[in-house]
Amino acid sequence: MGIKNLMKLIQASAPAAVKEITLKELLGRKVAIDASMTIYSFLVAVRSSSDGAPSANLTNEAGEVTSHLQGIFSRTIRLMEHGVRPVYVFDGKPPTLKSGELAKRKEAKEKAKIDLEAAQARIAAAGEDDAEAAKEAVAEAEKLAKRTVHMQGSHQEEAKHLLRLMGVPVVEAPCEAEAQCAALAKAGVVWAAATEDMDTLCFGTPRLLRRLTFSEARKLPVWEISLPKLLADLGLSMDQFVDVCILCGCDYLEPLKGIGPVKALERVRKHGDLAAVIEALREEGKVPVPEGYPIDEALRLFHEADITDPETLRGDIKWTAPDEAGLVEYLVDQKGFNADRVRNAIERLKKARAKGGQKRMDSFFTMGAKAKAAPAAKKGAAKPKSAAAKPARRTSASVKAGAAAAAAAAAAAASSAGTASPVAAEPSGAVVAAPSTGPASPAATPAEGPAGRSAPEAAATPAPVFFAASRPKPAASKRSSEDMDSAETSKAKRAK
DNA sequence: ACTCTGTCTCCAGACGAT
DNA sequence: TGAGACAGAGT
DNA sequence: ATCGTCC
């Protein structure tokens, strides 16, 4: 998922765009989190094993899975104890261009399921006499079981319910959660998007946080990736950056053989935009480009992603007091959680809420400064930026010399939105001018027109051809060629 | 020499007691 | 799924 | 720091 090798490219060509940050820098900050991905990772990771058997998810007495609830509950509290204010963003319907990718995952998952059954059969067959074989089979079943994890609508609904009881805001995106997260960050409704999915940069989040999971200090540090800085260091406009990402390979479009991150960057710099790159490749004939390769569609998905206007959500994004009785009823009575632990956690949550609610120190400063010296300075800073940004946008057509201007614009954006300064009049100060992305605000779609986008599965158009839904397997390899091609992604949609 | 591809392997949470 | 390490092929 | 437990 995401953009192939994008992190590698960044580390090689724009390392300064990535910064390690400390938890202090997150105090009081609102961050948008992709809920599906989070839930999925808990379903995979939170398991317990009972002697000999492959591990399984945590469940209550009725056999309902609770791993995701356990995970969300404790992580959210922990985040808030560090003063972070999380907003969980849930997926809506995946775009049809993605159906190829989704079909692929589904297929891989089904294969894993078959292998899993085989492994389970072997466990049974090995029985007591052959402890070695049994152990091996269990280990294999273990791996396969994780690949067959699939998230269900019910998991999402349960997570939403839990979060609402906790007083933590939930956003339901019309389509891709990543796009919504980015839109929220771009609009200044939240300070950053926290996700492992690099796609979010393509959707225009000015800040991306990676590895925001901390189990205290023992884990890896949090990374902050700054989009303006990234654009400046790569010398690309926002549109060109998206072009590069599409060439590298994204969820919407199969990458071209022979084009990796290096060549993608090189080509876009040389030709100016994606269409020109494709045209050149076709002329050269070296790299085969499929007929009807749907770059326009892919571009549209990034530039005009289906999202709910962040401004309409701003007012609803609030952290309220937890519903204590509701939490106990839900977690303890319904899901079988330990009552003491839950009560204890609720206490932590209440304290944590106060912490995140405090205003950041530096926002006092900024606001104070604004109040006094502001009007003039503010205008001064803001004006030139947008002026500089203008010419750089609308790249699509030609623009070659545009690159330089774009870089300048990006640099300007970087210095104002930048990671350098603690910045961010977070509370309501919007801030962060979205880097010179395409046309103004992406089409705000009426959140969920009950009538509007109804046609539920009807839209399940046949997958475009660009993902060989079933890629013929070279019968070659030996041993476990079967499970080589893994399954499932962190973002299993409900699918079916 | 550089870039890309394919293969392989390990990994994926958080807490609390010790 | 991913991400890192490595070998190997194509340029 | 490691390891068993959470449900």
Side-chain angles (χ1 to χ4, degrees):
Chain A
M1 124 184 337
I3 309 300
K4 267 185 201 154
N5 294 312
L6 178 54
M7 204 52 209
K8 225 181 242 174
L9 180 143
I10 292 174
Q11 273 159 346
S13 304
V18 183
K19 193 173 78 157
E20 279 189 12
I21 62 171
T22 63
L23 301 183
K24 276 185 198 150
E25 299 178 59
L26 296 175
L27 183 75
R29 312 227 104 134
K30 303 173 188 174
V31 301
I33 297 174
D34 175 0
S36 309
M37 192 176 289
T38 307
I39 291 170
Y40 178 79
S41 75
F42 284 130
L43 289 175
V44 172
V46 182
R47 338 184 110 236
S48 78
S49 50
S50 52
D51 58 346
S55 67
N57 285 116
L58 302 171
T59 59
N60 66 2
E61 283 188 346
E64 299 166 314
V65 172
T66 54
S67 294
H68 56 308
L69 299 176
Q70 171 88 345
I72 294 250
F73 191 49
S74 53
R75 181 181 289 177
T76 303
I77 291 172
R78 175 160 281 272
L79 283 169
M80 291 179 69
E81 281 181 324
H82 283 95
V84 176
R85 288 189 279 173
V87 184
Y88 283 89
V89 180
F90 288 79
D91 277 308
K93 298 183 176 28
T96 41
L97 237 212
K98 209 169 179 174
S99 57
E101 172 72 14
L102 295 177
K104 222 166 150 185
R105 294 173 187 172
K106 190 173 157 196
E107 190 197 358
K109 188 155 40 176
E110 273 159 14
K111 189 192 299 167
K113 201 174 286 177
I114 291 168
D115 293 346
L116 174 59
E117 278 157 20
Q120 283 165 339
R122 270 191 289 134
I123 295 173
E128 327 246 304
D129 7 305
D130 197 344
E132 270 309 301
K135 218 166 93 185
E136 214 168 287
V138 168
E140 194 184 335
E142 175 86 44
K143 280 187 199 167
L144 291 166
K146 292 185 178 182
R147 288 186 211 173
T148 60
V149 165
H150 67 295
M151 192 177 12
Q152 298 173 328
S154 58
H155 295 140
Q156 308 236 18
E157 295 311 312
E158 289 160 357
K160 283 180 205 169
H161 187 232
L162 172 62
L163 288 165
R164 287 177 177 134
L165 289 172
M166 293 174 75
V168 172
V170 163
V171 168
E172 304 188 89
C175 194
E176 302 242 59
E178 300 305 338
Q180 189 69 54
C181 288
L184 289 167
K186 201 163 154 181
V189 175
V190 301
W191 183 72
T195 172
E196 302 309 302
D197 190 342
M198 302 294 284
D199 278 2
T200 316
L201 287 170
C202 293
F203 289 118
T205 187
R207 283 193 198 79
L208 178 58
L209 300 181
R210 295 198 95 192
R211 311 196 301 197
L212 181 67
T213 61
F214 39 27
S215 94
E216 212 60 321
R218 63 179 103 145
K219 276 267 170 142
L220 305 155
V222 179
W223 278 345
E224 176 191 328
I225 303 175
S226 158
L227 179 60
K229 216 166 223 168
L230 180 56
L231 297 180
D233 291 0
L234 292 177
L236 298 175
S237 69
M238 180 64 198
D239 289 353
Q240 288 175 318
F241 172 68
V242 173
D243 292 347
V244 170
C245 288
I246 290 174
L247 281 170
C248 287
C250 64
D251 285 354
Y252 304 137
L253 210 51
E254 196 80 325
L256 301 169
K257 296 284 175 207
I259 303 290
V262 175
K263 285 186 181 158
L265 182 57
E266 195 180 285
R267 289 296 189 149
V268 170
R269 278 178 175 158
K270 182 169 167 194
H271 299 108
D273 71 22
L274 181 56
V277 172
I278 296 294
E279 194 184 338
L281 289 175
R282 283 210 167 102
E283 260 170 39
E284 293 164 25
K286 208 93 179 181
V287 175
V289 181
E291 203 61 34
Y293 196 58
I295 57 170
D296 291 335
E297 184 72 3
L299 282 168
R300 212 178 45 73
L301 286 169
F302 283 121
H303 289 302
E304 295 159 50
D306 185 8
I307 51 158
T308 300
D309 180 357
E311 293 307 329
T312 68
L313 298 170
R314 193 188 283 275
D316 293 331
I317 294 181
K318 290 191 286 245
W319 289 259
T320 59
D323 174 353
E324 300 185 43
L327 281 169
V328 170
E329 199 276 329
Y330 186 56
L331 291 179
V332 179
D333 298 345
Q334 285 190 43
K335 298 298 179 182
F337 280 54
N338 176 289
D340 289 337
R341 287 174 193 264
V342 170
R343 284 187 198 290
N344 186 33
I346 292 173
E347 288 312 308
R348 285 169 56 204
L349 176 58
K350 287 199 289 187
K351 279 204 192 102
R353 199 168 84 85
K355 177 162 185 176
Q358 295 168 354
K359 297 269 192 285
R360 291 183 57 80
M361 278 309 185
D362 54 52
S363 71
F364 277 124
F365 284 119
T366 347
M367 295 181 82
K370 249 186 216 156
K372 290 177 209 154
K378 193 168 143 200
K379 293 251 163 76
K383 269 276 162 59
K385 188 198 334 165
S386 46
K390 280 252 161 75
R393 67 172 48 170
R394 276 286 95 186
T395 341
S396 358
S398 50
V399 183
K400 226 168 259 191
S415 65
S416 69
T419 40
S421 55
V423 193
E426 225 264 308
S428 60
V431 183
V432 188
S436 67
T437 254
S441 34
T445 37
E448 30 209 331
R453 64 187 62 265
S454 49
E457 262 81 283
T461 350
V465 216
F466 302 94
F467 287 102
S470 51
R471 144 175 43 127
K473 273 278 175 248
S477 50
K478 37 180 138 182
R479 240 195 43 152
S480 54
S481 77
E482 290 310 303
D483 48 32
M484 216 59 261
D485 193 357
S486 45
E488 192 36 51
T489 196
S490 15
K491 195 185 285 197
K493 310 288 165 161
R494 55 210 75 181
K496 39 161 115 178

